[in-house]
Amino acid sequence: MATKEPPLFRDIDRVLIDREAIAARVRAMGAEVAADLQRAIDRHHDPADAQVVLIPILTGALVFTADLIRQMPMMLCLRVVAVSSYPGRSMASKGAKIAGELPQDLAGKHVVIVDDILDTGQTLAVVKRLIQEQGPASVRICVLLRKPESCRKERIDADYSGFDIPDEFVVGYGLDYDGFYRNYPQIAVLRAAATSALESRA
Ligand code: 5GP
Ligand code: MG
């Protein structure tokens, strides 16, 4: 009897970035971000005073952040922030809204905002502005994916970006459609049938 393929895999149309490519890139990014932070720390009068805070934007940055921080051999803290921009089955950004509290003790610290993808830029613009108001020592933006500049509604870019992708809706490695597919281990495009099946289940 043929084994039935689980829906998670059956719903994928094509893989844009496979797990080996993601792993290699995330390893290099972790090393690069850590080296830049270390240089910033070493410029402090007393480097022991310098503090590094990574702020992953939930929920999409969860998988990326988990892999990234394990490539950063340094003292750092994690403080999460939740932002909703693609509620439910929306495949277009509805504008960013901070859901819950932003960390309030970032003055003088080296902050790295981590997100899954830079699309319109609204999410990162809102989060960066609110963090900058607190007077951190530095703010960097690190994303796994970046859509073309023509998608941007805000003048913002990432300091570190893993891959430039076309303007397509992607899932996997933390990115969802209607809450699902975050655990698919690669960056992929869904079959049209999968999105319409989820829609008809409403
Ligand atoms: P922006 O505010 O830059 O338009 O969007 C950033 C957020 O929108 C990301 O953190 C991500 O959650 C979501 N997003 C943007 N493009 C995609 C996409 O292609 N697929 C998924 N699943 N989420 C996306
Ligand atoms: Mg997100």
Side-chain angles (χ1 to χ4, degrees):
M1 198 179 81
T3 45
K4 225 173 139 213
E5 205 186 7
L8 180 71
F9 295 87
R10 204 171 53 211
D11 289 350
I12 301 300
D13 178 36
R14 72 212 132 83
V15 172
L16 285 190
I17 310 168
D18 67 23
R19 57 168 94 210
E20 288 78 20
I22 296 171
R25 186 72 187 109
V26 172
R27 207 176 305 124
M29 289 177 87
E32 189 187 353
V33 178
D36 287 354
L37 287 166
Q38 195 58 54
R39 267 191 294 276
I41 289 168
D42 292 341
R43 282 195 293 269
H44 280 243
H45 179 65
D46 182 357
D49 285 345
Q51 288 190 46
V52 171
V53 183
L54 261 70
I55 304 190
I57 301 182
L58 295 179
T59 305
L62 211 145
V63 177
F64 174 41
T65 304
D67 285 344
L68 185 76
I69 59 172
R70 285 177 289 174
Q71 303 296 332
M72 299 177 65
M74 65 195 307
M75 299 297 283
L76 61 82
C77 293
L78 270 189
R79 306 290 298 276
V80 298
V81 58
V83 174
S84 72
S85 49
Y86 280 52
R89 303 187 177 97
S90 165
M91 283 167 129
S93 177
K94 297 276 188 281
K97 266 219 306 275
I98 303 262
E101 294 269 307
L102 195 77
Q104 290 301 320
D105 55 349
L106 303 173
K109 297 181 182 172
H110 295 282
V111 175
V112 183
I113 307 168
V114 185
D115 207 359
D116 48 3
I117 184 165
L118 171 60
D119 179 12
T120 67
Q122 289 166 300
T123 304
L124 285 163
V126 166
V127 173
K128 188 177 186 185
R129 193 177 324 121
L130 291 171
I131 288 171
Q132 254 162 351
E133 282 171 6
Q134 296 186 37
S138 66
V139 182
R140 293 172 171 80
I141 291 177
C142 178
V143 297
L144 179 73
L145 306 172
R146 186 165 55 182
K147 284 190 182 173
E149 223 179 300
S150 54
C151 297
R152 235 67 86 223
K153 290 183 182 160
E154 296 276 345
R155 280 169 57 112
I156 190 156
D157 200 2
D159 300 279
Y160 309 94
S161 167
F163 302 91
D164 286 318
I165 62 163
D167 185 14
E168 283 194 271
F169 190 82
V170 294
V171 298
Y173 198 73
L175 292 109
D176 74 307
Y177 174 68
D178 197 22
F180 295 107
Y181 307 104
R182 293 195 197 277
N183 55 325
Y184 187 74
Q186 331 197 65
I187 300 295
V189 177
L190 282 178
R191 290 169 53 207
T195 54
S196 45
L198 281 171
E199 262 151 41
S200 64
R201 237 176 42 178

